[in-house]
């Protein structure tokens, strides 16, 4: 899986190839770092593989059930009448320097499983 597939925005950018150790040594702050890596999936978590979001014009927002007919967005605190389950896959990736846990959503997780 390449980092351009995992960006979620559908676009692609040129990325540097880095190992997991190189990324850890860079001591990144709170901003995302995109990179390419050749890694193998060594473990797949089977719990929490689905979540409940609503699909609004510009985002996919996770919701929690508020009542029998309403779901509250955790970020914007708005109520929605329904949601659509989406897939979420958490995997442990390993390269020759170490391993990392990665969460893949809907389209990205399909590329891991095919």
């Amino acid at each position: 899986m390449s980092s351009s597939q995992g960006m979620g925005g559908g676009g692609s950018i040129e990325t540097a190839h880095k190992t997991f150790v190189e990324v850890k040594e860079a001591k990144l702050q709170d901003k995302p770092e995109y990179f390419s890596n050749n890694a193998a999936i060594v473990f797949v978590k089977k719990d929490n593989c689905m979540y409940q979001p609503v699909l609004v014009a510009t985002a996919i927002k996770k919701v929690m059930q508020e009542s029998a007919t309403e779901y509250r967005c955790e970020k914007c605190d708005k109520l929605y009448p329904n949601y659509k389950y989406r897939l979420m896959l958490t995997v442990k990736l390993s390269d020759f320097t170490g391993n990392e846990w990665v969460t893949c959503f809907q389209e990205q997780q399909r590329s891991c499983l095919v």
Side-chain angles (χ1 to χ4, degrees):
M1 179 174 180
S2 72
S3 64
S4 61
Q5 289 175 312
M7 289 182 355
S12 64
I13 57 174
E14 291 297 317
T15 57
H17 187 276
K18 295 182 181 182
T19 65
F20 290 138
V21 167
E22 289 172 328
V23 173
K24 285 180 184 176
E25 288 174 352
K27 296 183 181 174
L28 305 172
Q29 300 301 317
D30 290 332
K31 59 183 180 179
E33 173 76 18
Y34 298 105
F35 62 95
S36 295
N37 181 297
N38 294 330
I41 297 172
V42 294
F43 188 81
V44 177
K45 274 189 170 181
K46 62 181 178 180
D47 53 329
N48 297 324
C49 62
M50 304 279 281
Y51 72 105
Q52 301 171 316
V54 292
L55 306 175
V56 293
T58 58
I60 299 170
K61 300 179 177 191
K62 183 178 178 183
V63 293
M64 300 296 289
Q65 189 165 5
E66 182 75 11
S67 68
T69 60
E70 293 181 310
Y71 302 88
R72 180 177 302 281
C73 173
E74 296 177 328
K75 287 187 178 180
C76 66
D77 202 35
K78 290 184 181 177
L79 292 175
Y80 294 93
N82 54 28
Y83 66 91
K84 182 178 179 182
Y85 272 114
R86 292 193 41 102
L87 300 170
M88 180 175 70
L89 182 69
T90 302
V91 296
K92 186 177 233 181
L93 298 178
S94 181
D95 69 7
F96 67 95
T97 65
N99 52 59
E100 287 294 324
W101 284 102
V102 177
T103 302
C104 305
F105 295 94
Q106 200 71 15
E107 295 78 19
Q108 292 79 22
Q109 68 84 26
R110 286 186 186 150
S111 68
C112 288
L113 297 176
V114 175

